[in-house]
Amino acid sequence: MPMDKIKIIKKLLSILKYSNVKNMSYDDPEIVPFMNYNIKNHSFVRKVYEEFYRIFVSSASNIPEGKRVELGAGYGFFKDFAGKSILRSDICSSHNNDVKFSAEQIPFKDKSISAYFMLGVLHHIKNPENLFNEVVRTLKKGGKFILIEPNVNLWAKLMYKISHSEPFNSEAGWRIEGNRPLTDANLALPWIMFIRDRKMFELKFPNLHVNIKLHNPITFQISGAGAFRTFLPGFSYPIFKFIEILLTPFYKYVAMWMTIEIERK
């Protein structure tokens, strides 16, 4: 799609941005309560998040007993959904997290964590090798690191150009330059690490077993993701899920999200 048409579409989408976040930077911690409110109080986007959280809970159903930690709690409500046993963490202080630390420097003892959960955060991590070294160190044997992250295909690339402000570079390496916690990012990073460079990841982290499942080609994009208004009522969600089921044979070409389930051997 020509860049001038993309700019026009982005301009039109900006009209739909919620007034409570319209003039705020995603790097500003003050945006967290507003985004959290928007996500929890619009039934369509809330259902998307609940679907993602059900994936988390299902994937963690057969892990050792112990502490479960959400890395990059951000705007979400996973603890409300899954129960008080979830420890919310983030690199920024906010009302929506329990403890502040960088995922590249995890403050837990060796082999002390049963599960880590991460929703749309890996593509913001500046040096993901540090993160995965910490995961290997702190996860119990049989423990899991469960991530839900952007996928890469032609459909996804088009949607990222139209509706995302975050950088996208599928030719990049694993590191992200810059110090801004959210806007210095690469939406393609999870795909780079687990699809393009899968063999390299397995060589670097032989104690981690990776399984990937593609999903959600439509619903997250049309939900507004808490930043943009959507006029779709919550009761229409099953209709779009049915369409996504019909698209299942084509997920390689249209799925915009992937669950990356990583088990500590």
Side-chain angles (χ1 to χ4, degrees):
M1 182 179 289
M3 287 303 298
D4 56 338
K5 290 185 178 179
I6 291 174
K7 288 180 180 178
I8 292 170
I9 293 172
K10 283 191 170 185
K11 189 71 173 177
L12 292 172
L13 285 175
S14 68
I15 299 172
L16 297 175
K17 200 162 189 180
Y18 280 109
S19 59
N20 60 359
V21 297
K22 194 175 185 68
N23 298 312
M24 300 185 75
S25 166
Y26 291 113
D27 294 310
D28 184 354
E30 296 298 320
I31 201 175
V32 171
F34 298 110
M35 289 287 289
N36 179 257
Y37 176 86
N38 295 343
I39 290 167
K40 292 173 71 173
N41 287 278
H42 191 288
S43 58
F44 195 97
V45 66
R46 183 183 180 98
K47 286 179 183 297
V48 176
Y49 273 77
E50 288 174 346
E51 179 184 347
F52 287 170
Y53 294 154
R54 282 193 293 272
I55 293 173
F56 279 163
V57 172
S58 175
S59 298
S61 62
N62 57 343
I63 60 171
E65 290 294 321
K67 188 177 292 184
R68 303 180 180 206
V69 181
E70 183 180 14
L71 298 173
Y75 320 131
F77 58 96
F78 183 46
K79 185 170 186 173
D80 295 343
F81 182 89
K84 294 182 179 180
S85 63
I86 302 297
L87 182 70
R88 301 170 299 183
S89 72
D90 207 294
I91 196 170
C92 299
S93 297
S94 81
H95 84 291
N96 206 43
N97 66 290
D98 303 309
V99 59
K100 175 184 174 182
F101 63 81
S102 167
E104 295 185 45
Q105 295 178 303
I106 295 176
F108 301 127
K109 295 179 180 178
D110 296 0
K111 297 180 176 61
S112 62
I113 304 298
S114 293
Y116 288 112
F117 305 93
M118 186 178 272
L119 174 54
V121 176
L122 178 60
H123 63 277
H124 299 284
I125 301 294
K126 305 305 181 271
N127 186 349
E129 285 193 61
N130 290 341
L131 163 64
F132 284 98
N133 283 327
E134 288 290 80
V135 167
V136 170
R137 179 182 67 81
T138 57
L139 266 186
K140 297 180 178 182
K141 184 177 180 180
K144 291 183 179 180
F145 183 18
I146 305 158
L147 308 90
I148 299 178
E149 292 287 336
N151 185 36
V152 173
N153 49 53
L154 290 177
W155 169 249
K157 287 180 181 179
L158 176 61
M159 291 298 101
Y160 298 148
K161 285 182 180 180
I162 290 173
S163 61
H164 282 263
S165 58
E166 296 165 336
F168 174 91
N169 182 3
S170 59
E171 303 297 322
W174 289 18
R175 291 195 178 215
I176 295 172
E177 300 298 325
N179 297 313
R180 293 177 298 182
L182 289 184
T183 53
D184 288 328
N186 181 8
L187 284 162
L189 180 60
W191 176 87
I192 289 169
M193 294 183 69
F194 294 106
I195 305 294
R196 191 193 76 183
D197 296 346
R198 175 70 173 267
K199 290 184 178 179
M200 184 189 301
F201 183 89
E202 290 172 347
L203 286 172
K204 287 178 178 288
F205 303 101
N207 292 325
L208 298 177
H209 174 73
V210 178
N211 184 56
I212 295 173
K213 182 179 180 180
L214 304 179
H215 51 90
N216 290 80
I218 300 172
T219 46
F220 186 85
Q221 288 303 113
I222 62 176
S223 74
F228 297 90
R229 293 182 183 87
T230 179
F231 299 104
L232 296 169
F235 65 77
S236 69
Y237 192 73
I239 298 171
F240 291 98
K241 287 310 300 177
F242 179 70
I243 296 171
E244 289 189 328
I245 291 170
L246 295 178
L247 290 171
T248 302
F250 309 102
Y251 271 10
K252 179 180 179 181
Y253 308 103
V254 297
M256 292 200 62
W257 290 86
M258 57 181 172
T259 295
I260 307 157
E261 185 178 301
I262 302 174
E263 183 173 348
R264 176 73 160 86
K265 298 180 184 177

